[in-house]
């Protein structure tokens, strides 16, 4: 009887381990290899990034921006390659065409807005999304306080891979020619 119990336990464990394995056919993969995510900046690097932002964002309070952005986290992620939720992932939002992030279903108003996200556009959007762009599907009422908007924008610039145009131009100029 004891031998039968041990045999049954071994068989159960084997089946459990087999169920954990990936026996399915490999999923179709994108032929383009994904770049590794950028390294997470240290606090000192974040402070330096903040100081390098154009005014008034260089005077932003990152901690207040993080707290104010907490109202946005139920709908938005800000990590590289992060998922879209009720709202699109905001990593790389600055310099991105409005309504153009792949794999997100935007409202017609945003798909046809015809502008690129910058701090000024985001400031007006955050103040009142419904009046900034009528017909969008965002249900957020807005951030009325200008200091909170400034701090959220500074926080997003530091956390979402923002690079000023001068840094982009310098990087392009130093890139090897192929």
């Amino acid at each position: 009887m004891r031998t039968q119990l041990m045999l049954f336990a071994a068989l159960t464990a084997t089946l459990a381990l087999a169920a954990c394995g990936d026996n399915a056919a490999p999923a179709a993969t994108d032929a383009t290899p994904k770049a590794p995510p950028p390294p997470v900046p240290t606090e000192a690097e974040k402070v330096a990034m903040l100081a390098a932002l154009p005014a008034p964002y260089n005077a932003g309070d990152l901690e207040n921006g993080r707290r104010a952005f907490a109202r946005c986290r139920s709908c938005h992620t800000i990590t590289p390659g992060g998922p879209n939720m009720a709202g699109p992932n905001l990593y790389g939002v600055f310099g991105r065409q409005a309504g153009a992030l792949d794999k997100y279903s935007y409202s017609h108003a945003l798909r046809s807005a015809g502008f690129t996200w910058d701090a000024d556009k985001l400031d007006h959007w955050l103040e009142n999304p419904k009046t900034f762009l009528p017909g969008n599907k965002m249900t957020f009422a807005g951030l009325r306080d200008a200091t909170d908007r400034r701090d959220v924008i500074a926080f997003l610039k530091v956390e979402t891979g923002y690079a000023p145009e001068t840094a982009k131009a310098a990087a392009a100029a130093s890139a090897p020619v192929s």
Side-chain angles (χ1 to χ4, degrees):
M1 181 72 157
R2 182 178 169 130
T3 305
Q4 288 177 332
L5 284 175
M6 289 176 59
L7 184 59
F8 178 74
L11 180 59
T12 303
T14 302
L15 289 174
L17 287 174
C20 293
D22 187 9
N23 294 332
T29 58
D30 187 357
T32 310
K34 293 190 180 202
V40 176
T42 65
E43 289 305 311
E45 290 169 328
K46 289 179 183 183
V47 168
M49 291 166 68
L50 177 67
L53 294 177
Y57 307 104
N58 60 349
D61 177 341
L62 293 178
E63 183 57 26
N64 184 50
R66 184 190 63 74
R67 281 192 306 270
F69 185 76
R71 294 175 248 183
C72 312
R73 286 191 189 277
S74 61
C75 296
H76 295 280
T77 59
I78 59 173
T79 56
N84 294 318
M85 296 169 53
N89 176 287
L90 298 178
Y91 191 86
V93 68
F94 295 101
R96 183 165 64 206
Q97 182 73 23
L101 182 65
D102 288 341
K103 299 179 184 173
Y104 183 75
S105 177
Y106 288 96
S107 64
H108 176 72
L110 260 171
R111 281 192 320 271
S112 59
F115 66 84
T116 299
W117 287 110
D118 61 18
D120 186 53
K121 294 273 191 304
L122 189 57
D123 182 47
H124 292 344
W125 172 270
L126 288 173
E127 185 175 15
N128 189 331
K130 291 296 180 197
T131 59
F132 175 76
L133 188 64
N136 79 74
K137 65 183 184 179
M138 189 165 166
T139 59
F140 183 63
L143 289 173
R144 302 288 182 240
D145 185 85
T147 301
D148 284 347
R149 290 194 311 274
R150 178 205 64 193
D151 293 348
V152 165
I153 292 167
F155 171 77
L156 286 173
K157 283 184 177 260
V158 167
E159 296 290 331
T160 64
Y162 169 76
E165 291 303 315
T166 54
K168 290 178 187 175
S174 66
V177 178
S178 49

